[in-house]
Amino acid sequence: MDLAYLARADGDDLILQVISGAGGQFGLAPGVRVRPDPRFYLTLLAGTLPKVITATRCNQHMIDAPVVEKLNIGCYAATVVTDRDGEVFGILGCISRDPRPDLRERDSRFLGLVASYLSDAVIDLHRIWEAHSQVWRSISRMIDAGGPEIVYQPVVDLATGRIAAVEALSRFPCEPREPPRGPRGWYSDATTVGLSAELELAAIRRALRALPQLPAAVYLEPVLNLDRVYIVCTE
């Protein structure tokens, strides 16, 4: 198969937790949210959908499913992963571009074996997911609210007394019921949950608001370095 994945159920969506294989061919990566077709998703959860479908375009459940067309899936194998209490965690699956008529029932049993093994591990996955979700939400809220705050500090050339640069420092709110993490902690957490680019761009955009207040002949070069943006001023 071209790609194997473990996806967490989140309402009507599946959120990819782990992938192995050619994720780029399908436009998939950890953290991507996929909306499965309700028809075969519900039958998969109910245990009435075959775990292995060797040719999706010849199967009544998947022949016209939007996600099959969008990702160009030719073959599909999946099983439900539950925790030790029997609650659904998500889906363990494999997909391939081409049909795979060589797949047999024993392949579905192997998937079931792996899913049973994962039942003990998903407790930790639940905790990791909840922790990551909380961090993602706090960073997203802060960006949507217009953060981070920027404070400006001049950098003076001691030889001439001239302001050589303006240092723009990121400042972040203190989250209630959370220990302080400082600017480096915010940027590190943003990298962990895939919001690094969004946070960096938000900081740069806010830092560049100082541009109209600087001399007209000043050249600005914003460079992000974890907790600060350097706006280098040159005549």
Side-chain angles (χ1 to χ4, degrees):
M1 303 290 275
D2 296 325
L3 178 71
Y5 65 88
L6 175 64
R8 182 185 187 277
D10 185 34
D12 295 330
D13 295 342
L14 291 172
I15 302 176
L16 296 178
Q17 303 288 284
V18 183
I19 65 170
S20 177
Q25 292 185 15
F26 299 92
L28 299 176
V32 169
R33 181 181 292 266
V34 177
R35 175 65 57 90
D37 188 288
R39 292 171 300 173
F40 72 81
Y41 184 43
L42 292 176
T43 54
L44 176 63
L45 294 179
T48 57
L49 181 73
K51 290 184 173 64
V52 175
I53 297 176
T54 60
T56 58
R57 294 171 181 84
C58 299
N59 182 271
Q60 60 177 341
H61 298 284
M62 305 185 74
I63 188 169
D64 58 352
V67 70
V68 171
E69 293 299 322
K70 181 179 179 180
L71 300 182
N72 191 21
I73 298 172
C75 177
Y76 173 86
T79 190
V80 177
V81 178
T82 61
D83 61 23
R84 283 177 290 186
D85 296 327
E87 295 294 325
V88 172
F89 172 82
I91 303 296
L92 174 69
C94 303
I95 55 178
S96 181
R97 288 286 194 205
D98 301 317
R100 289 290 305 274
D102 55 307
L103 294 180
R104 298 291 183 268
E105 173 60 27
R106 62 177 176 270
D107 296 302
S108 68
R109 292 199 299 270
F110 175 76
L111 271 183
L113 178 66
V114 178
S116 297
Y117 173 79
L118 288 174
S119 292
D120 289 332
V122 296
I123 299 299
D124 290 333
L125 288 174
H126 272 302
R127 294 193 186 107
I128 293 171
W129 170 254
E130 290 303 324
H132 277 56
S133 294
Q134 183 175 353
V135 170
W136 190 92
R137 287 192 295 269
S138 68
I139 294 174
S140 294
R141 285 196 302 266
M142 184 269 300
I143 293 175
D144 291 342
E149 293 296 325
I150 302 293
V151 295
Y152 297 93
Q153 176 173 283
V155 178
V156 178
D157 184 338
L158 295 179
T160 65
R162 183 179 66 87
I163 295 178
V166 175
E167 188 179 45
L169 307 176
S170 299
R171 293 293 180 261
F172 295 89
C174 293
E175 291 287 297
R177 298 182 298 279
E178 286 189 14
R181 44 184 159 169
R184 289 181 179 271
W186 279 86
Y187 281 107
S188 176
D189 288 347
T191 299
T192 300
V193 298
L195 291 176
S196 176
E198 286 84 351
L199 180 55
E200 291 172 4
L201 287 172
I204 290 172
R205 290 189 184 105
R206 285 188 64 87
L208 290 176
R209 292 180 182 179
L211 179 61
Q213 303 173 30
L214 296 175
V218 167
Y219 170 73
L220 301 182
E221 181 185 356
V223 181
L224 189 74
N225 179 18
L226 285 180
D227 58 343
R228 59 192 66 194
V229 177
Y230 295 98
I231 303 179
V232 181
C233 311
T234 58
E235 294 182 352

